[in-house]
């Protein structure tokens, strides 16, 4: 995919077929993953090696990735501690190439 998102102005909707996709990119950031610049209703705020922080456009709010939250709970954090740690974080698991992405939801 690309990092362009198309908006159907007549219906006020985003064309979901053209949303950027998360891909594993062996040449990006020394063998890490490539995080999309934009997600639906949001954008990347900052990125480090295998994680990134996303923000949402108003009136949308960040919703955590349930798998990432549960993984932190299994490591011994309370759900509240885990939520504060992962609420707007995307993470790339280098062993599997799977990307845990947050999402922006309407509030």
């Amino acid at each position: 995919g690309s990092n362009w998102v198309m908006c159907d102005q007549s219906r006020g909707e985003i064309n979901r077929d053209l949303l950027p996709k998360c891909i594993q990119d062996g040449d990006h950031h020394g063998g890490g993953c490539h995080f999309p610049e934009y997600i639906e209703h949001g954008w990347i705020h900052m990125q480090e090696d295998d994680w990134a922080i996303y923000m949402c456009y108003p009136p949308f709010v960040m919703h955590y990735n349930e798998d990432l939250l549960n993984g932190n709970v299994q490591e011994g954090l309370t759900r509240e501690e885990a939520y504060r740690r992962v609420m707007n974080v995307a993470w790339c698991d280098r062993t599997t190439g799977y990307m845990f992405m947050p999402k922006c939801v309407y509030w």
Side-chain angles (χ1 to χ4, degrees):
S2 70
N3 60 357
W4 288 93
V5 175
M6 300 298 293
C7 177
D8 182 341
Q9 293 180 355
S10 65
R11 295 185 312 177
E13 296 177 353
I14 293 175
N15 184 336
R16 296 186 190 323
D17 296 332
L18 299 177
L19 287 175
K21 305 289 189 272
C22 299
I23 59 169
Q24 185 173 1
D25 183 355
D27 295 328
H28 188 72
H29 294 315
C33 293
H34 173 73
F35 293 96
E37 186 175 348
Y38 297 98
I39 59 173
E40 188 171 4
H41 309 299
W43 76 97
I44 195 167
H45 175 67
M46 67 176 291
Q47 178 180 346
E48 289 295 326
D49 190 31
D50 59 356
W51 60 272
I53 294 176
Y54 283 87
M55 305 293 285
C56 297
Y57 298 108
F60 297 91
V61 295
M62 190 60 63
H63 186 274
Y64 57 87
N65 180 288
E66 187 72 36
D67 293 332
L68 191 55
L69 180 102
N70 289 335
N72 277 265
V73 169
Q74 289 175 355
E75 290 178 7
L77 296 178
T78 66
R79 279 190 72 79
E80 183 178 325
E81 291 168 331
Y83 173 79
R84 285 195 305 263
R85 179 184 279 186
V86 305
M87 73 171 223
N88 61 346
V89 173
W91 179 65
C92 173
D93 182 343
R94 291 176 181 269
T95 60
T96 64
Y98 184 78
M99 297 183 81
F100 297 86
M101 298 293 294
K103 61 183 174 181
C104 297
V105 296
Y106 183 74
W107 181 252

